[in-house]
Amino acid sequence: MRGMRPVVFVTGASRSGSIGDGIARRLAADGWDVAFGYFDGYDAAMPWGSGEHAELTSALESLGARALPVPLDLADPDAPAAALARIRDELGPVVALVASHAHSVDSGLLDTSVEAFDRHFAVNTRGTWLLIRAFAEQFGADGRAPATGVPLTPPAGRIVALTSDHTAYNLPYGASKGALDRIVIAAAVELAHLGITSNLINPGPIDTGWMTPDLAESLRAQTALGRLGTPADTADLVAFLLSPAGAWITGQLLHSNGGFHLPV
């Protein structure tokens, strides 16, 4: 029945072991219904390959959640609004948006192509902006979803996006995430009158299948707590920010990274 559990939309939850996957499972356990976005075209081109959407759907349902997998190519400017509309029709109004998707293909200043640069910004920056805009447009002046009249509180109006501090040799990814930061901080101000909070998490080094053993060891040595992060570490902070206890936090970039890059 609609209204029994709040609805969250988690992007980038396409495969087992990903950060998005961990966030989706944690929120389902916390009492959320979960729509999750995936894009097989990107995953198929990466070392880990395409995810198993049925597996995550089953896992979320076993935790008591209604689950909705949503194919989502964020390079398409019409995709964000279409996704939010579908979720609203099938699950109800979305009261929290967790943007954990990323397009990331390593290249530097001298070897990044214009096509690669534009793709990173289309997905990581423009796509997230359009998701945030479509999310905010659900909120009427009276705090209800215009299409359904369903109250959006409590909890209501939560935006959390994952960011990164990559720069050298990962230029288009790092630059697009830096631009994303400004959009999410702007949302904290511009959407505050709707009761929406908006924050960023920099999760630090989390091995979700992309690290070589040598890289994992190097990153572990640069982390004050002496280990790599896990998807659950990020999910814990997301769960807090989406809870009533996190309602006073907005406009922040939070480093949940075990002390990565501190002097050790």
Side-chain angles (χ1 to χ4, degrees):
M1 179 182 297
R2 285 192 180 202
M4 295 297 291
R5 295 165 64 110
V7 178
V8 61
F9 184 26
V10 181
T11 64
S14 58
R15 60 190 177 85
S16 179
S18 69
I19 297 175
D21 176 270
I23 292 170
R25 292 173 189 254
R26 169 60 190 271
L27 295 179
D30 280 359
W32 292 80
D33 285 334
V34 182
F36 63 93
Y38 66 91
F39 180 48
D40 283 337
Y42 175 69
D43 287 329
M46 303 305 286
W48 49 77
S50 296
E52 293 293 335
H53 317 130
E55 177 185 339
L56 179 55
T57 299
S58 177
L60 298 177
E61 290 175 345
S62 73
L63 293 166
R66 292 180 300 157
L68 178 65
V70 180
L72 185 67
D73 180 2
L74 286 169
D76 176 359
D78 295 326
L84 268 293
R86 178 185 172 189
I87 298 165
R88 184 174 62 246
D89 289 344
E90 298 194 29
L91 296 182
V94 176
V95 300
L97 171 66
V98 181
S100 63
H101 64 274
H103 182 85
S104 178
V105 180
D106 290 357
S107 60
L109 278 167
L110 301 182
D111 61 349
T112 295
S113 69
V114 171
E115 179 183 16
F117 189 91
D118 288 348
R119 178 78 185 186
H120 281 80
F121 272 81
V123 174
N124 298 340
T125 310
R126 186 186 69 192
T128 309
W129 159 53
L130 292 173
L131 279 170
I132 290 172
R133 185 171 76 176
F135 172 72
E137 287 172 346
Q138 298 181 115
F139 289 73
D142 60 354
R144 294 174 178 265
T148 65
V150 174
L152 291 171
T153 58
R158 299 288 196 271
I159 297 168
V160 178
L162 270 59
T163 189
S164 172
D165 52 11
H166 277 223
T167 51
Y169 305 111
N170 204 356
L171 168 72
Y173 175 71
S176 63
K177 286 290 189 175
L180 164 69
D181 296 352
R182 300 304 179 92
I183 292 169
V184 175
I185 299 302
V189 177
E190 295 188 22
L191 305 181
H193 68 287
L194 298 174
I196 295 173
T197 65
S198 185
N199 293 286
L200 294 138
I201 296 174
N202 185 332
I206 296 181
D207 187 2
T208 60
W210 60 275
M211 293 184 191
T212 65
D214 287 346
L215 178 59
E217 182 55 37
S218 173
L219 294 175
R220 188 179 294 111
Q222 297 177 61
T223 304
L225 292 182
R227 67 170 176 87
L228 298 175
T230 68
D233 291 321
T234 304
D236 286 343
L237 182 52
V238 171
F240 172 74
L241 292 173
L242 267 55
S243 74
W248 189 235
I249 300 173
T250 195
Q252 303 302 306
L253 197 170
L254 304 170
H255 289 79
S256 174
N257 63 8
F260 182 58
H261 277 165
L262 292 178
V264 294

